């Protein structure tokens, strides 16, 4: 009986300790980042793997390094890449990337012999339809080259 | 009390004001509850609707009003719709004898606390009807829990209040307030600390709030007795839950914390300040503790609170006999 | 209490006619007995953590029978392993168990390396240990929060997620993702640790130690939680061994069995760390074992960081995505957050493996539930379910 009473008094004390902890957190600053008004620092984003993008070529940033060897297409577990060779030379004519099927596993990036593919850091990519995520990477490369020049 | 036109008008106005208080209280408390939960959990809480999310609760209640009334199959129609109404309307009556201020009382009756305790029993009827009529096993379990919990926690609650009634020698809430002084050390909490503690525990148990929220234990019974309720049915349960919280807080403020009497200037503001501090305390413990188990809940009541309340009552009676 | 033959408070004696957990599957048409109701917990229920369905037969609040029903999240991972090359199967490993993906990475990569006879550079082994232990901590943290949420305390899970976000920030530097990590490669790891990675870990270890003290004060010592967990759902050595339970459940039963110590893989044999084995075999014991494992993981990370060697992180000529396995068979087991994670690989020398079998600890651990929950209160059954630390994608695979 006495033991039970002491137990209960100790228990009540533990409840007070819990209240003091949550009370302290009640007054401490928030931990969340309020998204549309604030974003997390770019240092954190730099290592984030977003959708794929083509690496700009060395002399001409609108030209891809890709040699249409189909290694990435064969390596991809989700079959999300379509690369078609152009009529002249090795450079590709079509470079389609279906982001809906991609699992960001880096199989294409690591199998590419020329290092033509890399991950972008686009975290805030949104789309309202499936088709909007079928990306034309060659077109993206050209438009981004136009923007920088 | 003779029934005159004046008293009828007074009650009518009081009930209207009380409805306003209940709805306003629910809106304000939902906001504070969500903000408090957010701050305790180190996130901002509602933020987008209105400045600092102040209109969030209003918008949510508008949404609840505008929703389709969805009735699951095989329910008992009459009981299913009677339950939320039964949960809501008796609470109106409960606020009538509460002395908010020296003159601000809906109905000055000599046995006000009896009225409150008697009609508080309606809440549990609505819970069991809701659980039973909605033809849901989770609801049924929640209803069964609600009944035994409410019955159990009413007894120590009454006994704790009786100790104060012994001291004041009256069941009239206004007289109980007038018997206490303006300064905190003249309040009943310093004469009856044990009764205050017992009341505090059973008040959380009576209103089905965490850690005693077993009738609607989310992780076990999804939502307990109101699992099958949507739109206004749910909103009425919601309103009555917050109204019940407010009621027990007002009763606690009246009995133990001096009611409308307070330092410097007596008035209704003291009642409201005290009641809302108690409400925020209930919110605070909800977001701190895990839930107790059902047998532990009843054990706590029958093995600890009830004997303590009886001992407290006995000591009070003896003390009054010998020292007064 | 003899749980196979118990008397309820009303004096009714129940002698369930089964020990196996598939009574309802076999006797579906029978329905509830007199005075009992059959309750479907799940697949959509707040405390089944995903889509586990538990059919319980209740007498009042007492559970007479509880039968877990699986298959609501079955995604054929074992079969997918047969139609993909081992490299292509690697990202699947992050999806099997989203809370501790790196252990699954390790099990698969280890099985392939064992079969192909690939040895791993030392720096890569150390990085594997660091990332795996960090991931174990984050898994235990999520379990801790979710378990307390099962018991009705909503706040702790958000505190646990603060720490988990910090771990995710650290692991994102090397793995590139925050949930379904695919960090390991055959013969090494895919990215090297930079200064920021090491700096963040050094800041994180004392921070988490401080937070663990807060956890203890807020939750572990809380009287409500203790009374909810003490002497609830005892799972002795006997039942654990009959059903093949591993991990914290087995260790809470008193057997200090840990794959990291018993079958040392990687460089675990170089570190000194205790294996927490619980004081009691009830829910509270399992709870304590997991919290002590977080401290153990911190110890291992500290040792690994201080003795991190320089060198390559992947072997030269590492297997490409089109890499073919030599014919043979291998079985590689690692210690996941929930128990022994293992991959059994059979190859006939073709492009894809002949057969892949994933041993998920969650599946074996869940099997204990039907027997342990019998005769308890509904709230206790929920606590027992939570204390098993189930990740349903891993149970169903």
């Amino acid at each position: 009986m006495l033991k039970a009473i002491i137990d209960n008094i100790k228990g009540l004390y533990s409840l007070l300790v819990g209240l003091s902890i949550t009370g302290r957190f009640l007054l401490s600053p928030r931990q969340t980042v309020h998204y549309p008004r604030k974003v997390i620092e770019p240092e954190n984003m730099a290592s984030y793997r977003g959708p794929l993008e083509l690496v700009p070529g060395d002399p001409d940033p609108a030209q891809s390094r890709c040699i249409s060897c189909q290694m990435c297409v064969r390596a991809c577990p989700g079959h999300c890449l379509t690369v078609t060779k152009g009529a002249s030379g090795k450079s590709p004519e079509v470079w389609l990337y279906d982001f809906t099927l991609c699992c960001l596993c880096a199989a294409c990036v690591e199998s590419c012999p020329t290092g033509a593919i890399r991950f972008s850091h686009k975290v805030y990519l949104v789309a309202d339809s499936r088709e909007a995520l079928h990306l034309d990477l060659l077109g993206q490369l050209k438009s981004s080259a136009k923007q920088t020049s | 009390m003779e029934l005159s036109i004046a008293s009828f008008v007074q009650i009518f106005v009081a009930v209207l004001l009380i409805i306003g208080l209940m709805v306003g209280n629910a809106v304000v408390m939902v906001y504070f509850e969500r903000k408090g939960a957010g701050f305790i959990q180190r996130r901002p809480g509602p933020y987008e609707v209105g400045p600092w999310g102040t209109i969030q609760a209003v918008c949510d209640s508008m949404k609840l009003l505008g929703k389709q009334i969805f009735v699951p199959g095989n329910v008992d129609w009459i009981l299913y719709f009677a339950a939320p109404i039964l949960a809501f309307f008796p609470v109106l009556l409960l606020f009538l004898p509460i002395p908010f201020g020296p003159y601000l009382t809906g109905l000055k009756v000599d046995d006000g606390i009896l009225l409150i305790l008697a009609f508080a029993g309606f809440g549990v009827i609505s819970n069991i009807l809701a659980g039973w009529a909605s033809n849901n096993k989770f609801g049924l379990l929640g209803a069964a829990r609600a009944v035994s919990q409410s019955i159990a926690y009413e007894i120590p609650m009454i006994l704790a209040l009786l100790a104060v009634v012994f001291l004041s020698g009256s069941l009239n809430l206004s007289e109980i307030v007038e018997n206490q002084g303006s300064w905190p050390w003249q309040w009943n909490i310093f004469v009856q600390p044990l009764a205050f503690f017992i009341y505090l525990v059973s008040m959380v148990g009576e209103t089905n709030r965490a850690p005693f929220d077993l009738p609607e234990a989310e992780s076990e019974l999804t939502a307990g007795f109101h699992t099958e309720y949507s739109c206004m049915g749910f909103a009425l349960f919601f309103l009555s839950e917050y109204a019940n919280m407010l009621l027990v807080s007002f009763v606690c403020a009246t009995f133990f914390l001096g009611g409308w009497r307070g330092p410097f200037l007596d008035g209704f503001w003291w009642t409201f300040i005290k009641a809302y501090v108690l409400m925020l305390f209930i919110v605070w413990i909800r977001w701190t503790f895990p839930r107790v188990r059902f047998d532990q809940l009843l054990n706590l009541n029958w093995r600890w609170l009830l004997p303590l309340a009886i001992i407290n009552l006995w000591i009070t009676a003896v003390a009054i006999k010998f020292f007064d | 209490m003899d749980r196979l033959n118990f008397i309820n408070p009303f004096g009714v004696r129940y002698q369930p006619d089964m020990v196996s957990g598939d009574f309802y599957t076999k006797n579906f048409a029978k329905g509830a007995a007199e005075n009992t109701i059959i309750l479907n917990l799940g697949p959509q229920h707040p405390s089944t953590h995903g889509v586990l369905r538990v059919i319980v037969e209740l007498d009042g609040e007492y559970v007479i029978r509880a039968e877990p029903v699986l298959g609501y999240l079955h995604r054929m991972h074992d079969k997918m392993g047969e139609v993909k090359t081992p490299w292509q199967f690697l990202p699947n490993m992050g999806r099997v168990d989203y809370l501790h993906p790196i252990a699954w990475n390790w099990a698969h990569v280890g099985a392939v390396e064992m079969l192909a006879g690939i040895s791993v550079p030392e720096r890569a082994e150390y990085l594997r240990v660091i990332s795996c232990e960090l991931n174990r901590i984050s898994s235990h943290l999520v379990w801790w929060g979710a378990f307390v949420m099962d018991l009705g305390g909503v706040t702790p899970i958000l505190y646990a997620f603060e720490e988990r976000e910090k771990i995710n920030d650290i692991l994102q530097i090397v793995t590139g993702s925050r949930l379904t990590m695919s960090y390991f490669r055959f013969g090494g790891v895919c990215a090297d640790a930079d200064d920021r990675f090491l700096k963040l870990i050094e800041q994180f270890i004392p921070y988490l130690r401080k937070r663990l003290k807060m956890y203890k004060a807020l939750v572990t010592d809380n009287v409500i939680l203790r009374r909810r967990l003490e002497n609830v759902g005892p799972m002795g050595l006997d039942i654990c061994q009959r059903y093949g339970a591993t991990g914290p459940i087995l260790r809470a039963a008193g057997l200090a069995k840990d794959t990291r110590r018993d079958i040392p893989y990687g460089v675990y044999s170089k570190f000194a760390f205790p294996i927490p084995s619980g004081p009691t075999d009830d829910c509270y014991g399992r709870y304590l074992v997991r919290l002590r494992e977080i401290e153990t993981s911190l110890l291992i990370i500290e040792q690994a960081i201080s003795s991190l060697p320089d060198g390559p992180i992947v072997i030269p000529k590492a297997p490409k995505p089109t890499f073919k396995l030599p014919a043979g068979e291998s079985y590689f087991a690692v210690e996941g957050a929930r128990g022994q994670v293992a991959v059994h690989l059979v190859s006939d020398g073709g492009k894809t493996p002949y057969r892949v079998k994933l041993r998920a600890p969650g599946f074996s651990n869940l099997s204990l539930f039907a027997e342990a929950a019998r005769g308890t209160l509904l709230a206790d059954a929920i606590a027992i379910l939570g204390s098993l630390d189930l990740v349903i994608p891993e149970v169903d695979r």
Side-chain angles (χ1 to χ4, degrees), chain C residues 156-210:
Chain C
I157 192 168
L158 285 124
Y159 297 161
F161 264 77
E162 274 175 42
E163 273 82 81
R164 184 181 154 81
E165 285 302 309
K166 283 197 181 356
I167 294 176
N168 277 348
D169 282 350
I170 296 170
L171 282 178
Q172 187 194 310
I173 297 171
V174 288
T175 65
S177 48
R178 299 175 77 86
L179 189 72
T180 52
M181 297 152 188
S182 176
Y183 178 44
F184 292 10
R185 297 288 181 268
F186 307 127
V189 291
C190 76
D192 199 358
D194 56 2
D195 291 341
R196 185 159 168 263
F197 178 76
L198 299 177
K199 199 185 82 203
L200 281 178
I201 293 180
E202 267 161 28
Q203 289 169 357
F204 178 73
I205 292 172
Y207 167 77
L208 185 61
R209 291 223 167 100
K210 216 173 78 199

Side-chain angles (χ1 to χ4, degrees), chain A residues 63-77:
Chain A
Q63 206 69 40
S64 169
R65 286 192 204 166
C66 177
I67 52 169
S68 315
C69 66
Q70 309 288 330
M71 284 296 279
C72 51
V73 178
R74 248 177 290 158
C76 180

Side-chain angles (χ1 to χ4, degrees), chain C residues 3 7 16 34 39 54 63-64 90 93 120 122 163 165 176 182 188 239 274 276 285 292 300-301 305 335 339 364 370:
Chain C
R3 285 194 308 284
I7 304 174
E34 202 180 344
L39 188 66
V54 184
V63 176
I64 296 169
L90 201 49
M93 286 294 124
V120 184
E122 196 163 15
E163 273 82 81
E165 285 302 309
S182 176
I239 174 174
R292 295 222 301 272
I300 297 174
I301 294 169
I305 289 280
E335 183 71 21
S364 314

Side-chain angles (χ1 to χ4, degrees), chain B residues 208-288:
Chain B
N208 300 338
R209 293 279 300 185
F212 301 132
D213 59 344
L214 289 147
E216 43 199 293
E218 193 212 338
S219 57
E220 296 147 32
L221 303 179
T222 58
F225 60 86
H226 59 66
T227 304
E228 294 288 358
Y229 283 90
S230 55
C231 68
M232 264 331 275
F234 173 74
L236 285 180
F237 276 119
F238 205 72
L239 270 180
S240 71
E241 185 192 322
Y242 278 102
N244 271 322
M245 264 171 77
L246 189 63
L247 177 86
V248 291
S249 300
F250 271 132
V251 171
C252 187
T254 309
F255 270 74
F256 296 101
L257 302 175
W260 43 262
R261 309 199 67 162
F264 307 119
L265 195 57
D266 291 351
F268 67 91
W269 43 86
W270 280 114
T271 325
F272 278 85
I273 289 173
K274 286 163 190 168
Y276 275 92
V277 166
L278 281 168
M279 298 272 276
L280 291 178
F281 178 71
I282 298 178
V283 168
W284 182 13
I285 62 174
R286 173 177 176 188
W287 297 107
T288 304

Side-chain angles (χ1 to χ4, degrees), chain C residues 332-354:
Chain C
F332 194 82
V334 300
E335 183 71 21
R338 273 154 282 283
Q340 197 180 58
V341 170
V343 170
H344 184 192
L345 208 62
V346 184
S347 169
D348 53 2
K351 200 175 148 198
T352 59
Y354 176 73

Side-chain angles (χ1 to χ4, degrees), chain A residues 114-136:
Chain A
T114 59
I117 322 169
R118 68 178 178 200
F119 285 113
S120 67
H121 309 303
K122 293 175 196 157
V123 193
Y124 305 113
L125 176 75
V126 280
D128 53 3
S129 71
R130 218 162 245 277
E131 285 70 37
L133 288 173
H134 297 177
L135 307 172
D136 175 16

